[in-house]
Amino acid sequence: GQNIDQPTEMTATEGAIVQINCTYQTSGFNGLFWYQQHAGEAPTFLSYNVLDGLEEKGRFSSFLSRSKGYSYLLLKELQMKDSASYLCAVRDSNYQLIWGAGTKLIIKP
Amino acid sequence: TAGITQAPTSQILAAGRSMTLRCTQDMRHNAMYWYRQDLGLGLRLIHYSNTAGTTGKGEVPDGYSVSRANTDDFPLTLASAVPSQTSVYFCASSPSSGSTGELFFGEGSRLTVL
């Protein structure tokens, strides 16, 4: 079966750095996405990786290792507004997105 | 810029009743999707449409139907609602099914079936 694993919840301190991991087992691979979802709101796109390596976008970076079936989202200089759930999703060989259950990130002052 | 509009925002429905969740996008995207989101589970695809006039079944299609008469609209119908269909429903679109770009989501429709 297809599976996306990510931690259920993480806590970090304002101003710090946090890394949210995602491991996947899917039928084929056509890219990995990270989305941010604030409570009661719609998911919004953060990043896309299809090749191995690090993609940096401001305070957020996303890393992919296809051989390990592994990705992480790195958030730097954490702000209170970063409190949200972070969703990892992999596009499989049929170009359908398989979603993880999301990681709820709690930022403390 | 509207993007994707869903209606209603929330609804309480008696079991056995029918319900249509509406979804309209103004971005001229070819691909549209319906997902449900339940606590502790990832987004699950109900139905999708790669282009106007075509639809396909996702991971959890039973009890739901869709139509795609034109590019902009993608309604989701529950013919006879059951309590297990209580969920938050998200409509989404993308330029094409194989695009490297993001999905754009509507604000969601919270449905409670009693």
Side-chain angles (χ1 to χ4, degrees):
Chain A
Q2 307 201 92
N3 195 50
I4 310 287
D5 285 319
Q6 48 181 135
T8 302
E9 186 175 297
M10 298 181 70
T11 302
T13 303
E14 188 177 17
I17 299 173
V18 70
Q19 177 175 312
I20 302 173
N21 296 324
C22 170
T23 58
Y24 63 89
Q25 294 172 307
T26 56
S27 301
F29 179 85
N30 282 296
L32 185 144
F33 295 80
W34 283 96
Y35 282 76
Q36 180 189 59
Q37 185 177 25
H38 286 100
E41 298 183 7
T44 56
F45 171 79
L46 285 178
S47 68
Y48 170 74
N49 295 70
V50 67
L51 299 176
D52 290 350
L54 188 68
E55 293 281 343
E56 297 186 79
K57 189 184 293 185
R59 293 189 299 115
F60 293 7
S61 303
S62 56
F63 172 83
L64 174 67
S65 169
R66 288 172 296 171
S67 63
K68 296 182 179 178
Y70 168 70
S71 173
Y72 67 74
L73 180 69
L74 192 71
L75 292 74
K76 303 176 184 177
E77 302 170 15
L78 286 170
Q79 302 175 10
M80 297 303 293
K81 68 178 182 179
D82 297 329
S83 292
S85 288
Y86 291 86
L87 314 180
C88 174
V90 173
R91 190 158 57 196
D92 67 11
S93 57
N94 293 319
Y95 279 85
Q96 296 298 334
L97 279 175
I98 311 301
W99 295 81
T103 298
K104 182 178 181 180
L105 178 63
I106 300 168
I107 309 297
K108 295 186 175 180
Chain B
T1 303
I4 294 189
T5 303
Q6 289 185 233
T9 303
S10 66
Q11 182 75 44
I12 299 174
L13 188 66
R17 300 297 296 268
S18 66
M19 174 78 193
T20 294
L21 302 179
R22 299 183 297 278
C23 176
T24 299
Q25 54 108 353
D26 63 2
M27 297 174 284
R28 308 303 293 172
H29 285 172
N30 283 320
M32 296 188 75
Y33 311 85
W34 274 106
Y35 288 94
R36 60 177 291 172
Q37 187 175 42
D38 301 290
L39 197 63
L41 299 177
L43 288 163
R44 291 184 291 170
L45 183 65
I46 304 170
H47 285 286
Y48 65 93
S49 170
N50 289 332
T51 190
T54 69
T55 63
K57 294 182 179 180
E59 180 185 357
V60 289
D62 294 344
Y64 306 94
S65 63
V66 292
S67 62
R68 187 87 185 278
N70 56 61
T71 297
D72 298 342
D73 301 300
F74 191 45
L76 177 73
T77 298
L78 290 69
S80 179
V82 294
S84 63
Q85 291 177 310
T86 293
S87 187
V88 180
Y89 292 85
F90 286 101
C91 181
S93 73
S94 66
S96 71
S97 60
S99 70
T100 58
E102 68 222 70
L103 288 183
F104 294 81
F105 285 85
E107 290 302 309
S109 297
R110 182 175 296 274
L111 180 65
T112 302
V113 182
L114 301 175

